[in-house]
Amino acid sequence: MDDDGTRGGRGPGADWVPGPAAPPPPAHPPRVPHPASGTHPADPHQGDRNQADPYPADRKQADPQPGRPAEQWRAGSASAQPVEHRQAVPTPAAPPVEQPAPGAPVDAWLRTPRPQQEPGVWRYGYTPPPPEESERVSDRSLLVGALIALLSALLLWSLWRNGYLPYRLVPLKLFTPGEWWNPGTSGGPRTIEGSDALTVYEAILFGLLAYGCGRIGNFSELFRRHVAERGQPFLALAAAVAAGLTQLLVWKETLPVVRPVLVLVASVAGGEIYQSQTVVNVIYGLIAAAVLWPFARLGRWRELIAARRGGGTAPAPADPSAPATTTSADQWPELRAAGWTDAADTLTAEVRTGRMNDVDVARLRHAWRLATRRPDRLGPLAESVLRTGGAAALHPSGHRDLPRRTARHDVLTGQVRIGRCADDPHNPYVRRGTGLALDPALLGTSLLAVGPPGAGKSARLVRPAVEALALRALAGQAAVLAVGGAGEPLGPDDAFDVVVRVGHPGSAHDIDLYGGTTDPDEAAAVLAEGLVGDVGSLDSRRAATVLAQLLGPYRAAHGHFPSVPELRELLDGTPAAFAGLRASLEAAGHHAMLRELDARSRQAGGPGDPAPALADRVALLDRPTFAGFFATGPDARPFELRALGQYPLRVRVDLPERGHAEASRLLTRLLLAQFTAITAARTDTSLFVCLVLDDATHAVTAETVRGIRRLRSVNAGAVLALRTVDDVPEALHTPLLGAVGCTAAFSGITTWDGKRFAEAWGKEWVETREVAQHTVFADQPFTRALHALRKLVTGKAVTTDAVTVRQVEKERWSASELAYAVPSGHAVIRLANVDGEHAPPLLVHLDG
């Protein structure tokens, strides 16, 4: 049942979704080149395009880095780092996915049905599976049963024709006049009318006998399994041979067909009708056609002839100007319903000439939905469509697609196909062979993926999820922050608007340790969670209080938060640092902040003071590699994570895991804490925001688990990848598995991890059948002969079965099955969406 993830696919392109728009023939207007080139041609209607931008004016000119020119932000990822440093850290090349040929039919892609299905079903071109088949009978039993039924029918018909069956004419005599028959129950016909009635009666009985023989012998299954499944032309040839043999038997009157038909015609139309030879020939022709007709249906002769006739010529291409119904998706019915017929015609022409891709369609549909909420934007958007076509309402970066795709995406639904459900007994029948896909409704419940190194988490799950979110961002519907080690396959630089390389001198952006906030208490709470949230012996609230006692006075005195070296000195209690800060506060008259500083001075060095632990953690960032990287003064260039909730950004953060593993884990923990705090506090939740951590080792804390629970209510989500569940504190194993809605266990996990997943996925009621077989020993010769015949037919000895059926509660997947029964390249994935719908754990072959 390997249908490549789509049931009922139509042709080889059933599972295809369009990629970048291909160049049309020279006769058509030129299109925007592939964004991988990194350049964009001059647009004579750039001013008009800005009028239809779905983002407000403050968003268009905003920059995640304060003080950066707006032109540099709108240039997109090409300005995320200087050109001379672009190749400093190479990105591993991912194998490209198959791309459509030039002139790809985006209109056909738009019209492809996407029915609503259970969570995780790849909806593009999906059709439901056929009903589940019952237990399959062996070929030997099927053939022997058909042969016995045929021989029995022949024997019964022979006994009938030769008069060995008593009372065979009694039913006929009950419904016909008595003068037609000779006396007695076995008396034959006396008149011609009686002979004609007997002829028709025998034909009816023969038909019933043939039908019963076919049902008892299961000839339909025999034909389907050994003839129909072999396909054409064998099917048509076998039907033709059977038709010829049947015609021979019919015209030799071995099969009672011709004479009963002639008798019935004479009884209706009169015997004089046979005086015309033409009428007789017509009747014979109709009989021959009637005998051939069922064989023509069985052999599908009409389909074969049509295929042979159409096989020599290629189908004519569809006329781009051919009219379509106004309800078809490629006709932009939402624009036509609003009265913007000219704009709809322009976009329809763009789609049919190949100057638009799937991202353009999704972007413009989203822009139109936003514009309908603000009627004053409908006019500018329609005018921009008329002037620039599919290039209207562009993403602020100017990109219309990713430079490379490594997975199959359906941007219209936001799905990315990551694999195919295996044909395994653990999977429900309706899910076997179907494609498995992720979408924002699933990622909104957050996803936890656990698997050892090399299991394929990054390449087959994390990378496709990042690509899908990046495409969603280009359509103006999402923002993504991807965090991983330097050189990890999260996507090329050109696929992101901002690339932050921590500790790399060529990085154009830094990380803001304080999350872009100006509130000292808020900054202290998030920073404390990132610094010591994984230390179980420390209370993060006390650590936040210590930081607030330092951050508040420092910001009041200097107008910004301290840099890493200055924060370290304050946490260490350096007298010079405290004296300088006190003098600045006294000069500015901040008496309230002086009390905060005095309180910190009194508590310093006391029992349970978290300041030394905080200073040790800050020291991990106070290294020569990070010198000037976490600056906070007027010359700082941090990327503010708060911008993710406001703009459809694509951001990637590369961490120096190889040389500074502890610092990388600290930053990962800090980014997770900032993300959960910022997304929970935003008021506009129309933009889906997702954080993707390629390695969440030691990043999860008790506070971030509570933050992950709140993400689904604010249209946000997180994707966390772990090598083992033990990378999370033991006290958080159960809360973490309960906080995320989607979980994935990759091949190679341990039985300890498998036990936690098995407990989280729960149990189900299943019906078990226990069969005890006992051999039957016969004493009588006739019984032994029957048993020998039955053994010859079935190939098994005669036994009696004692069946016990029970309802038991069983784990969906046991710990040992997860550890040893999941093949390489597979994962067991359980999905749930934000609406509360969920799918059972499915064994999936990953091909993302």
Side-chain angles (χ1 to χ4, degrees):
M1 196 178 294
D2 185 358
D3 55 5
D4 202 21
T6 302
R7 300 186 183 275
R10 294 170 294 280
D15 202 21
W16 168 89
V17 290
H28 298 289
R31 62 173 292 278
V32 176
H34 196 287
S37 61
T39 60
H40 305 278
D43 190 348
H45 305 291
Q46 185 67 35
D48 300 318
R49 179 184 306 165
N50 294 336
Q51 295 177 4
D53 199 326
Y55 316 108
D58 54 345
R59 288 192 181 187
K60 290 197 298 180
Q61 302 299 333
D63 182 1
Q65 174 190 344
R68 184 183 182 194
E71 298 81 8
Q72 190 180 9
W73 154 235
R74 289 188 62 84
S77 61
S79 61
Q81 59 176 354
V83 177
E84 58 270 22
H85 298 289
R86 181 64 56 84
Q87 302 299 332
V89 181
T91 302
V97 75
E98 294 182 4
Q99 296 295 340
V106 182
D107 53 346
W109 169 78
L110 270 173
R111 292 193 300 267
T112 302
R114 296 166 175 84
Q116 290 291 338
Q117 293 297 320
E118 296 179 1
V121 175
W122 176 249
R123 294 167 49 192
Y124 180 79
Y126 174 85
T127 54
E132 186 175 5
E133 296 181 356
S134 58
E135 186 177 355
R136 185 182 178 95
V137 182
S138 65
D139 290 343
R140 177 178 178 179
S141 299
L142 191 64
L143 290 171
V144 173
L147 180 60
I148 291 177
L150 179 61
L151 294 177
S152 301
L154 291 177
L155 175 62
L156 189 61
W157 182 247
S158 177
L159 294 176
W160 168 271
R161 293 295 299 270
N162 291 284
Y164 291 109
L165 295 180
Y167 309 107
R168 64 189 185 96
L169 298 181
V170 171
L172 179 61
K173 292 182 179 181
L174 292 176
F175 297 96
T176 54
E179 60 268 14
W180 288 5
W181 309 98
N182 292 320
T185 57
S186 59
R190 177 188 298 178
T191 63
I192 297 178
E193 290 82 359
S195 298
D196 294 342
L198 180 59
T199 300
V200 176
Y201 178 59
E202 287 183 345
I204 295 175
L205 290 180
F206 179 82
L208 295 176
L209 181 63
Y211 176 77
C213 173
R215 291 297 301 270
I216 295 175
N218 205 357
F219 279 86
S220 60
E221 176 65 17
L222 185 67
F223 175 80
R224 185 190 64 81
R225 189 180 301 182
H226 296 283
V227 180
E229 288 185 355
R230 301 182 66 173
Q232 300 286 13
F234 181 82
L235 175 61
L237 181 61
V241 172
L245 179 61
T246 304
Q247 289 279 10
L248 179 63
L249 296 177
V250 166
W251 295 111
K252 285 186 172 293
E253 297 190 1
T254 304
L255 300 180
V257 175
V258 178
R259 289 188 61 191
V261 171
L262 296 178
V263 169
L264 290 174
V265 172
S267 63
V268 173
E272 296 82 3
I273 193 175
Y274 295 120
Q275 295 178 0
S276 173
Q277 186 62 36
T278 302
V279 174
V280 174
N281 293 337
V282 169
I283 294 175
Y284 284 166
L286 293 176
I287 294 175
V291 172
L292 283 178
W293 181 77
F295 295 98
R297 291 289 303 272
L298 289 175
R300 301 176 184 173
W301 294 352
R302 183 176 181 180
E303 299 177 10
L304 180 62
I305 294 173
R308 294 295 184 184
R309 288 180 177 178
T313 59
D319 184 6
S321 61
T325 60
T326 56
T327 58
S328 61
D330 64 321
Q331 291 287 299
W332 301 86
E334 59 272 19
L335 272 70
R336 298 182 186 276
W340 300 98
T341 307
D342 293 341
D345 292 339
T346 300
L347 293 179
T348 301
E350 292 273 304
V351 167
R352 290 181 174 175
T353 54
R355 293 197 297 271
M356 286 181 63
N357 60 14
D358 52 351
V359 179
D360 295 331
V361 173
R363 186 187 69 251
L364 289 172
R365 283 193 167 191
H366 178 67
W368 183 261
R369 285 194 296 269
L370 292 180
T372 53
R373 303 174 188 172
R374 298 278 301 272
D376 57 312
R377 296 183 185 177
L378 289 175
L381 177 59
E383 291 295 331
S384 181
V385 168
L386 291 175
R387 290 181 172 87
T388 61
L394 275 181
H395 184 264
S397 66
H399 290 180
R400 297 173 63 177
D401 204 347
L402 298 180
R404 185 189 303 114
R405 300 189 189 184
T406 60
R408 295 171 182 167
H409 299 269
D410 186 15
V411 188
L412 208 60
T413 58
Q415 287 190 314
V416 53
R417 188 180 183 278
I418 62 172
R420 183 186 68 254
C421 296
D423 189 3
D424 187 86
H426 285 93
N427 294 342
Y429 171 75
V430 295
R431 298 302 298 269
R432 298 175 190 173
T434 60
L436 191 79
L438 298 178
D439 57 60
L442 299 174
L443 297 180
T445 64
S446 298
L447 185 149
L448 176 67
V450 179
K457 300 188 301 297
S458 298
R460 299 181 178 181
L461 181 64
V462 176
R463 173 70 181 271
V466 172
E467 280 187 4
L469 293 169
L471 290 171
R472 199 85 171 164
L474 290 177
Q477 304 175 49
V480 57
L481 172 62
V483 181
E488 292 295 333
L490 295 181
D493 295 347
D494 291 340
F496 296 91
D497 302 312
V498 177
V499 177
V500 181
R501 292 194 173 99
V502 180
H504 192 277
S507 179
H509 294 276
D510 301 341
I511 290 181
D512 188 355
L513 296 180
Y514 306 101
T517 183
T518 58
D519 185 359
D521 293 329
E522 182 181 351
V526 175
L527 184 58
E529 196 66 31
L531 291 176
V532 294
D534 61 328
V535 182
S537 58
L538 285 180
D539 186 358
S540 60
R541 290 174 296 180
R542 291 193 60 188
T545 301
V546 171
L547 289 172
Q549 290 172 344
L550 298 174
L551 297 181
Y554 191 94
R555 178 171 179 80
H558 300 281
H560 57 80
F561 291 122
S563 62
V564 169
E566 294 167 334
L567 180 60
R568 182 183 180 184
E569 291 179 355
L570 292 173
L571 290 172
D572 284 334
T574 305
F578 268 82
L581 181 56
R582 184 183 302 276
S584 300
L585 290 173
E586 291 175 349
H590 296 290
H591 301 291
M593 293 302 172
L594 279 173
R595 290 195 298 270
E596 288 284 301
L597 191 61
D598 291 339
R600 173 84 289 269
S601 300
R602 290 191 303 268
Q603 298 170 3
D609 183 18
L614 290 170
D616 291 341
R617 289 300 178 89
V618 172
L620 296 174
L621 304 179
D622 190 17
R623 306 297 302 163
T625 303
F626 306 128
F629 198 83
F630 303 107
T632 57
D635 297 332
R637 50 179 185 177
F639 166 71
E640 295 181 1
L641 198 64
R642 197 173 299 271
L644 280 176
Q646 304 171 3
Y647 316 107
L649 288 172
R650 302 166 295 163
V651 183
R652 193 187 76 206
V653 178
D654 294 342
L655 300 176
E657 289 184 345
R658 296 180 181 176
H660 304 274
E662 287 299 326
S664 298
R665 293 173 182 175
L666 188 153
L667 292 173
T668 302
R669 190 164 53 249
L670 178 62
L671 289 173
L672 178 57
Q674 290 182 355
F675 180 82
T676 55
I678 291 173
T679 53
R682 64 180 183 149
T683 56
D684 183 7
T685 60
S686 59
L687 195 69
F688 178 73
V689 185
C690 189
L691 170 67
V692 180
L693 297 182
D694 189 53
D695 185 5
T697 303
H698 301 298
V700 179
T701 64
E703 184 61 32
T704 54
V705 169
R706 287 189 286 269
I708 289 174
R709 288 198 186 101
R710 296 191 296 263
L711 291 180
R712 69 176 65 190
S713 62
V714 292
N715 197 22
V719 178
L720 311 177
L722 295 171
R723 295 182 177 89
T724 174
V725 181
D726 290 331
D727 290 337
V728 176
E730 186 176 359
L732 299 178
H733 290 174
T734 300
L736 177 61
L737 289 172
V740 298
C742 304
T743 49
F746 283 72
S747 62
I749 64 173
T750 63
T751 52
W752 291 274
D753 288 343
K755 179 181 179 181
R756 297 182 181 95
F757 279 109
E759 293 175 352
W761 292 339
K763 300 179 180 180
E764 62 179 347
W765 287 99
V766 297
E767 184 181 275
T768 62
R769 301 177 71 238
E770 297 178 358
V771 181
Q773 293 185 340
H774 306 281
T775 304
V776 177
F777 297 96
D779 297 330
Q780 301 299 325
F782 182 73
T783 307
R784 287 199 298 269
L786 290 179
H787 288 183
L789 178 61
R790 181 175 174 181
K791 184 176 182 180
L792 175 64
V793 173
T794 62
K796 299 179 181 179
V798 179
T799 60
T800 58
D801 296 341
V803 181
T804 303
V805 180
R806 295 186 303 171
Q807 290 283 340
V808 298
E809 198 175 17
K810 181 183 177 182
E811 290 178 331
R812 301 178 186 271
W813 281 84
S814 66
S816 58
E817 287 175 331
L818 289 172
Y820 302 111
V822 179
S824 177
H826 291 65
V828 180
I829 302 178
R830 187 255 187 188
L831 299 175
N833 61 19
V834 293
D835 295 329
E837 298 177 322
H838 60 85
L842 303 171
L843 179 63
V844 181
H845 175 250
L846 300 169
D847 55 6

